[in-house]
Amino acid sequence: MTAKISRFLANDEPDTPCLVVDLDVIEGNYRALRRYLPVAQVYYAVKANPAAPVIDLLAGLGSCFDTASRAEIESVLEAGAGAERISFGNTIKKQRDIAWAYERGVRLFAFDSEAELEKLAVAAPGSKVFCRLLMNCEGADWPLSRKFGCDAQMAKDLLIQARDLGLDPYGISFHVGSQQTRLDQWEVAVGKTAMLFSALNEAGIELKMVNLGGGLPARYRDDVESVDRYATAIMDAMTRHFGNDLPQMIVEPGRSLVGDAGVIEAEVVLISRKSYDEDARWVYLDIGKFGGLAETMDESIKYRLETGRDGPTGPVILAGPTCDSADILYEKFQYQMPLSLKVGDKVRILAAGAYTTSYSAVNFNGFAPLKAYFV
Ligand SMILES: *Cc1c(COP(=O)(O)O)cnc(C)c1O
């Protein structure tokens, strides 16, 4: 936790649960990525943390933006970034939203199917389009597999069709899966991409861009490789498969820019046991799956937790405050917490800046959406 965040929590004593984000950390992460991967243009994946202070900061630093909806595009335009810095990267768009974006000047769109291509041809004529490749997302703690992308053969046919429909077949995208813990996953993806570049070249189409997606990790319970190692792995894969003739490169980090920048402060509402002979305590917090910790689904993302207490610890099952039995955070993976933990104690959830506020429910059980402060 940074000094700025501790100071804010100590001085302002905000009501819990709340997220506190240190914007300097986001700026540092952005600059580090630019430093280690200077040839790639950064398109921040807005969904990771769509708050205005984050968008404003990154717009000011020169970032471009990967967006999924009208509202995300509007927030980027409001931050003063022009339409030329926006990619409409969702492969599932309403035709009227495509038309709306096109009218505002957006000219870069993702697709992974024939039906989407047909919408783009009508509603965004002449635009640059890139085809998303299907990935298996091995090694990712939060896989984005199955739902997105098409296989290479189909991608080839669709990009030819894009040209025939009057669009600009611009490139290939992929996402190796979010919180990708393996450095070698870009190698596979870039290899497939380079093969498609050649295949399309033979069909008279010169692709210009590789969109390397997101996937760079934040640091949760387990240590992860540093950003420079990821950048090296990506550049090695690119030069191995493209030689010196590198195409335009795009990266779409979400989690790796904002995850480490935020801390959630929560409070213990209840500590109980289910029977006299059970060892594990149930610890109920004032935040759960519906209050912003949706990525604990299947215990996929394992946050680092801190309490103000020390001394001997014992196993706990962690759960949220709502009246839904799905609202259990960690049960299979047994967290340990101090035996001295008391109702009313604060619990800090570290590296919680990504995919928390944007995942919190509007008013389930009357609990307000996760509040966020930016310092
Ligand atoms: C969510 C998303 C990202 C960001 O992924 P991270 O793993 O958070 O970096 C990037 N690109 C697309 C298309 C996405 O949907």
Side-chain angles (χ1 to χ4, degrees):
M1 177 153 56
T2 68
K4 261 167 96 183
I5 294 178
S6 329
R7 216 177 311 127
F8 175 81
L9 287 171
N11 295 341
D12 286 54
E13 297 182 14
D15 221 8
T16 68
C18 67
L19 170 71
V20 188
V21 174
D22 186 339
L23 291 167
D24 294 346
V25 176
I26 301 179
E27 176 165 354
N29 288 340
Y30 176 84
R31 289 191 191 282
L33 185 60
R34 294 288 300 138
R35 178 161 68 249
Y36 293 118
L37 207 55
V39 296
Q41 185 62 249
V42 175
Y43 280 67
Y44 170 60
V46 172
K47 72 175 187 289
N49 191 325
V54 177
I55 307 293
D56 287 347
L57 168 74
L58 290 169
L61 292 171
S63 182
C64 299
F65 297 89
D66 168 50
T67 61
S69 62
R70 277 177 68 148
E72 284 189 357
I73 292 171
E74 264 167 352
S75 67
V76 170
L77 293 173
E78 269 164 30
E84 73 289 347
R85 283 159 69 183
I86 293 175
S87 165
F88 202 164
N90 192 344
T91 52
I92 307 152
K93 303 176 284 300
K94 290 180 181 167
Q95 186 165 312
R96 58 182 178 277
D97 292 344
I98 297 171
W100 177 90
Y102 184 79
E103 211 170 281
R104 269 150 199 81
V106 177
R107 292 291 181 274
L108 184 60
F109 297 87
F111 73 95
D112 64 3
S113 67
E114 188 173 359
E116 192 73 10
L117 204 50
E118 283 162 3
K119 289 184 223 167
L120 288 167
V122 176
S127 291
K128 294 172 175 161
V129 294
F130 56 93
C131 188
R132 181 153 168 185
L133 275 183
L134 188 66
M135 290 286 128
N136 67 18
C137 299
E138 233 173 87
D141 289 342
W142 191 256
L144 298 164
S145 52
R146 289 205 303 129
K147 182 169 173 182
F148 305 106
C150 61
D151 79 6
Q153 183 57 50
M154 188 180 280
K156 181 189 163 196
D157 294 342
L158 289 175
L159 283 159
I160 292 171
Q161 203 177 339
R163 177 195 58 191
D164 298 342
L165 286 167
L167 292 160
D168 178 1
Y170 195 60
I172 303 287
S173 77
F174 55 78
H175 196 302
V176 295
S178 201
Q179 189 68 11
Q180 175 55 258
T181 57
R182 279 174 50 180
L183 293 170
D184 61 359
Q185 290 303 292
W186 278 268
E187 166 62 32
V188 182
V190 170
K192 273 193 194 173
T193 301
M195 270 165 33
L196 269 168
F197 267 63
S198 310
L200 281 151
N201 206 8
E202 281 163 26
I205 291 174
E206 197 196 330
L207 296 179
K208 298 190 183 64
M209 181 273 283
V210 177
N211 179 338
L212 301 148
L216 278 67
R219 196 188 141 236
Y220 299 111
R221 275 184 70 94
D222 296 331
D223 274 336
V224 290
E225 300 282 1
S226 54
V227 60
D228 58 307
R229 301 274 326 263
Y230 278 86
T232 304
I234 289 169
M235 282 317 291
D236 284 354
M238 286 298 294
T239 46
R240 189 169 314 120
H241 293 286
F242 285 94
N244 289 325
D245 193 18
L246 288 181
Q248 188 192 329
M249 290 164 61
I250 280 178
V251 275
E252 298 178 331
R255 192 184 299 280
S256 62
L257 291 191
V258 296
D260 295 333
V263 172
I264 287 174
E265 177 140 285
E267 186 181 309
V268 177
V269 182
L270 177 70
I271 304 175
S272 66
R273 285 177 209 269
K274 299 292 174 196
S275 74
Y276 295 121
D277 45 40
E278 218 170 90
D279 197 26
R281 292 160 295 162
W282 282 71
V283 173
Y284 300 91
L285 303 176
D286 59 359
I287 184 169
K289 271 205 168 69
F290 301 96
L293 302 179
E295 289 199 317
T296 58
M297 201 188 295
D298 299 326
E299 308 194 12
S300 304
I301 296 296
K302 296 188 186 71
Y303 292 100
R304 265 181 294 153
L305 306 179
E306 271 180 13
T307 70
R309 298 197 182 262
D310 43 24
T313 63
V316 294
I317 295 159
L318 277 163
T322 68
C323 302
D324 188 315
S325 59
D327 193 8
I328 295 173
L329 302 173
Y330 303 108
E331 186 173 17
K332 284 196 296 282
F333 187 90
Q334 219 151 52
Y335 274 76
Q336 299 276 324
M337 282 190 156
L339 296 171
S340 55
L341 192 73
K342 295 274 185 303
V343 168
D345 280 0
K346 296 281 195 280
V347 173
R348 285 174 182 169
I349 304 168
L350 306 187
Y355 303 114
T356 48
T357 46
S358 50
Y359 270 156
S360 93
V362 173
N363 215 12
F364 180 47
N365 266 174
F367 293 107
L370 181 58
K371 197 156 169 42
Y373 301 92
F374 298 86
V375 297

